[in-house]
Every structure is written in C-alpha cells, then in structure tokens.
Amino acid sequence: MDRSSPSQAPSSSATSSGPGVAHRIFIRAAQLVPLRWQRTLRSGPLGGFLRFALDRVAPAGRREVLQVRDGLLKGALLDVDVRKQRDMIAGTYESEVQRLLSEHVRPGQVAFDVGAHLGFFTLLLARLVGDGGRVVSVEPDPFLGPKLQANLEKNDASNVTVVRAAAGTVAAERRFVSGGGGGIGHLGDEGDLQVDGTTLDDLARRFGTPDLVKIDVEGGEVEVLRGAPELLSTGRPVVVVEVHDSAMEAEARQLLDEMSYDVSAITDDPSSRRHLVAVPLAS
C-alpha cells in the first residue's frame, strides 16, 4: 500500500507507466468538464460507456494515495482503490450529501459519522467543524478501520475521534458480516466476526451531544436510529441517513416523525443513493 505524509504531495511513481497513466489522464480530463455536465454525462446514455472505459484503464485492486481534485474536500489526500473510489478523487462522491452537510454543519459543532468507510465524509465534517469542533467517526469493519485511520493521519485530522464499534441498539459485542474491505460489512446473526457494539445514546454520553449525525451502515440504519431515543428526543441533532429500499425508508420516516422531525429526501445523481434529511421541529 502506498503511503504519503500529510505534508507531501501524492507520489506519481505508482503511475509512471501502464494503465495507471491512462486512468490518471481520464480523471484529469474529467475535471475540465463543468460539474453540471459531468452529472448529465454520467447519468445519460454515455454514462455506461464512460464507466466501462475507466474500468478498462484502472487495474483492479490498485491502490494509490491521491489528492481530491474538486468539491468541498478538494486538496485532501486519500488512500483509495483507483477503480472503486474514483468519484472520491474527482470530488463528486455523493455531491448532494456534501451540499447538505455544508448547509447544516458550522464551525465549533460536534458531528457523528456512523459508518465512516474510508473517511471521505469524516474528513469533510472535520473541515466543516474546524479546529474548535469535534467529529466522532464510527467504523467497525476490521478491514476498513486501518485505512480510515491512515487517511485521517494523512490529513492531520486531529479533531476526529475514531470509534471501532458497530452502532445499533445495544452497547455490547455483536456479530458482524465481513465486507472484505469493500464497505458492505454489516451487523448480522450470521456474521463471521465479533465486534464491539455501541449506540448513539452511548456515544452522545461519551463524546457530547452532536449537532448532526450522518448514518450509512449498509441496511442497519433503522437499528441505529432505534438506539438513540434519548438523543433524538432531547439532543435534537440534524440526521442524514441513507435508506436502501422503500420499506426501510418508510420505517425510518415513521420513527423520525414520531420524534417530531421534519423529514425530506434527496436522491444523489448519478449513484441513485437515497438519503433522508431529518431536521428537528421547533418545540
């Protein structure tokens, strides 16, 4: 795995020849296209062809430390799989969620990133809350955890606390289905791993009441919300939660409605990932 210190520019030695050069040229060329056109191209008839072309020039499993080229996380260093995480490096990863976070998070606040993956949104939240704020980054996957920690260190994210646990309804050991580092690990009785468990209420007691909670835990989002009755009723953070199907969306909406939240939805383009945005109603 390539390594760079926070003060160094990403090394180009890993891409000095072969497919890596072609892939980098594709990414650089894409940055010249205005963002609104990028969205149209990716979601239109050309989208499938462009993804196919990029996959052909990006070697499977190749990891590099690259700099985010655009967007709200521009300039950050990320150790990524160049095929699977190219949207992160382009800076277009879940752009609608990026916009939402920038609207709701202010300097000095506390934010929780539950299901932090490689740390893209943890780093964005760290930037938004600034030196006077705090981000709690929750990621149980034993394959992703070291990569998350490395990405935070590369960016001197000293205002981030990493919690290696799975958020749910109980603060106790849980069975976890391994995602093999692909970001699809989740809680489940059939899990091949044992991980520490926690709840949002427990995290709030330990680290302070968050102003915003972002949740993306591969289908366990409703369970995470059920582990936060105290936080949702008294702490009243803004909640941004990914929902993976209509049944989950309906269940999450009902729970948040009962907690007196105003709930709306966004669909990210072109990934089609759907998120609920819950803002506490004035009492």
Side-chain angles (χ1 to χ4, degrees), residues 2 8 17 33 35 51-52 58 61 67 84 95 120 140 152 164 171 174 179 186 208 237 242 257 261:
D2 298 323
Q8 293 174 325
S17 62
V33 181
L35 185 58
R51 288 189 292 275
F52 172 79
Q67 193 171 62
K84 294 179 180 178
S95 54
F120 184 95
L152 297 177
R164 299 288 294 277
R174 304 290 302 275
H186 58 276
E242 183 169 357
D257 284 341
Y261 274 81

Side-chain angles (χ1 to χ4, degrees), residues 80-196:
V80 296
D81 182 312
V82 296
R83 176 179 289 191
K84 294 179 180 178
Q85 280 102 37
R86 55 176 171 257
D87 282 354
M88 291 186 183
I89 295 305
T92 56
Y93 180 67
E94 295 192 5
S95 54
E96 284 298 298
V97 178
Q98 292 187 55
R99 177 187 61 79
L100 273 172
L101 297 182
S102 70
E103 290 178 356
H104 288 287
V105 179
R106 296 290 177 264
Q109 290 187 332
V110 176
F112 289 178
D113 184 12
V114 182
H117 194 244
L118 293 177
F120 184 95
F121 283 112
T122 290
L123 287 169
L124 176 56
L125 290 168
R127 213 175 250 195
L128 293 172
V129 302
D131 292 340
R134 172 62 50 181
V135 178
V136 177
S137 182
V138 183
E139 178 54 61
D141 193 311
F143 298 96
L144 289 174
K147 296 178 175 65
L148 166 64
Q149 191 68 55
N151 281 331
L152 297 177
E153 291 172 0
K154 284 173 174 57
N155 293 277
D156 288 328
S158 58
N159 60 347
V160 176
T161 299
V162 175
V163 177
R164 299 288 294 277
T169 54
V170 292
E173 285 194 343
R174 304 290 302 275
R175 301 302 299 176
F176 187 80
V177 179
S178 168
I184 56 173
H186 58 276
L187 289 172
D189 293 338
E190 73 280 17
D192 52 333
L193 298 172
Q194 194 88 0
V195 299
D196 289 336

